[in-house]
């Protein structure tokens, strides 16, 4: 059995960061992954340019059963630390929108940077390693793979969540946590497009390709000001991806297509314009046609006529339909297209400073396998860098 100080399972964002940091401290580190390539999710992230962090990282941008849990790691290894690393490696980057930082060239730059950091720190990376079993061995662990057996003092689980099984996602980390008696919170797809209810397909499917700025709001009052995109399968775009993480099955999502008060303004500015014409100047025309044909409009008896002819009660109804358009999704596209997995290893089981399991000394969980999910926009990678770095200081 080959002896290592540290074994990290998962050569993704969190695992690479942790392995490099531990190696820098002189620890002998083995990084195992069952895939053929290192950092596959990083490579396909951000449309191939990797949205690697965000200028505005803050704990409130993370979903976690214990919202305080993320504070320590995010404060110890910040977005500025990661930006400094990117700059040290001479990687050109830019802010796209809302503080989101992307590589100018390719996400491969970030993977190459992390591999270089690991190489400099003497980390051994072994791909195509399927983990057959993990057992406690004294104060450490034994790890048996398809072709070898190892022992280690510290074991770090960085195997990620369930999204995108095609590129290697597995439930390994959750099962391992349960094997060691740790609680795992229910998982579900996050940052994911919505599908439609059968009754919405006739009016909304023809809108595929239509995109517009909206405010999306979930039942718990969370709001995101971003773009909504209609697709052949349902609705997507950043507004939908963001709100999907706050959505519970069966609930409606509300979209502010036009802010309240805009119609009143329209009535005073263009009293003789018909509603449909006026709306056509405010919203994409195809969307206007589809909205007026929908049941909520016909049920409210809203017919097309000059704006000045609407009585105050009708104005209130129209304003409500436009400023809080309710859509009840059929579901989500699921892990096939989700960017992240909500839920995971319960943070109550872990030290927020080191990520070590409180009741299993020397066992660590970092990255997406933990019940921490960030907003769209570089927040999820920053969590992986911060958690990986924090564990890397102590393993
Ligand atoms: C399409 C897409 C685009 C994204 N874009 C962004 C973005 O631009 N910005 C952002 O912040 N976030 C983005 N994300 C989310 C981000 O990729 C994840 O939050 C992040 O990769 C999580 O890092 P991790 O190290 O925990 O897990 P991962 O990066 O998923 O790494 C886990 C590793 O563990 C390995 N593994 C899994 N099971 C086993 C096993 N049984 N044995 C051995 N190895 C195993 C996997 O092969 C993988 O290499 C995106 C996600 C997707 C799917």
């Amino acid at each position: 059995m080959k002896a290592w100080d540290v074994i990290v399972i998962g050569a993704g964002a969190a695992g690479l960061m942790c392995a490099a940091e531990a190696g820098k401290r002189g620890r002998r580190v083995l990084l195992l992954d069952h895939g053929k390539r290192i950092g596959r999710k990083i490579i396909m992230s951000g449309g191939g340019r990797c949205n690697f962090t965000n200028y505005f990282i803050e704990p409130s941008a993370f979903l976690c059963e214990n919202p305080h849990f993320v504070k320590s790691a995010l404060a110890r290894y910040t977005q500025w630390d990661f930006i400094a690393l990117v700059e040290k490696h001479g990687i050109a980057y830019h802010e796209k929108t809302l503080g989101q930082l992307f590589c100018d060239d390719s996400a491969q730059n970030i993977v190459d940077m992390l591999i270089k950091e690991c190489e400099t720190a003497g980390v051994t990376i072994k791909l195509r390693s399927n983990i057959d079993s993990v057992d406690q061995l004294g104060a450490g662990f034994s790890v048996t793979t398809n072709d070898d057996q190892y022992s280690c003092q510290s074991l770090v689980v960085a195997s990620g969540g369930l999204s995108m099984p095609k590129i290697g996602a597995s439930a390994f980390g959750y099962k391992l946590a349960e094997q060691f008696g740790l609680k795992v919170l229910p998982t579900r797809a996050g940052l994911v497009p919505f599908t439609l209810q059968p009754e919405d397909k006739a009016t909304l499917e023809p809108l595929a390709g239509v995109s517009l700025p909206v405010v999306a709001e979930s039942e718990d009052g969370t709001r995101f000001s971003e773009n909504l995109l209609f697709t052949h399968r349902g609705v997507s775009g950043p507004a939908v991806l963001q709100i999907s993480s706050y959505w519970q099955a069966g609930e409606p999502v509300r979209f502010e297509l036009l802010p309240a008060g805009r119609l009143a303004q329209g009535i005073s500015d263009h009293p003789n314009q018909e509603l449909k014409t006026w709306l056509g100047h405010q919203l994409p025309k195809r969307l206007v046609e589809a909205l007026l044909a929908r049941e909520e409009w016909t049920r409210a008896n809203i017919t097309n006529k000059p704006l000045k002819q609407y009585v105050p009660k009708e104005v209130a109804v129209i304003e409500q339909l436009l400023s809080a358009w309710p859509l009840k999704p059929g579901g989500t596209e699921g892990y096939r297209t989700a960017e992240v997995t909500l839920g995971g290893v319960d943070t109550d089981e872990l030290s927020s400073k080191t990520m070590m399991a409180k009741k299993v000394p020397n066992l660590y969980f970092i990255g997406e396998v933990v019940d921490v999910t960030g907003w769209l926009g570089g927040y999820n990678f920053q969590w992986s860098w911060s958690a990986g770095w924090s564990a890397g200081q102590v393993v």
Side-chain angles (χ1 to χ4, degrees), residues 10 13-14 33-34 40 45-46 51 159 170 172 339 368 378 380-381 384:
D33 200 293
H34 65 172
R40 278 177 294 180
S45 70
N51 178 192
S159 55
S170 82
F172 174 84
E339 283 201 13
E368 197 179 322
N380 285 293
F381 277 136
S384 290

Side-chain angles (χ1 to χ4, degrees), residues 9-15 32-35 37 39-42 44-47 50-53 102 129-131 158-161 163-164 167-172 337-340 366-369 375 377-382 384:
I9 298 176
L32 297 173
D33 200 293
H34 65 172
R37 290 183 73 181
R40 278 177 294 180
K41 250 183 213 170
I42 302 174
M44 67 183 303
S45 70
C50 186
N51 178 192
F52 55 79
T53 193
F102 288 75
S129 288
N130 292 312
I131 318 293
S159 55
S163 52
M164 304 249 165
I167 55 163
S170 82
F172 174 84
T337 57
E339 283 201 13
V340 288
I366 56 173
E368 197 179 322
V369 71
W375 288 352
Y379 295 88
N380 285 293
F381 277 136
Q382 185 59 45
S384 290

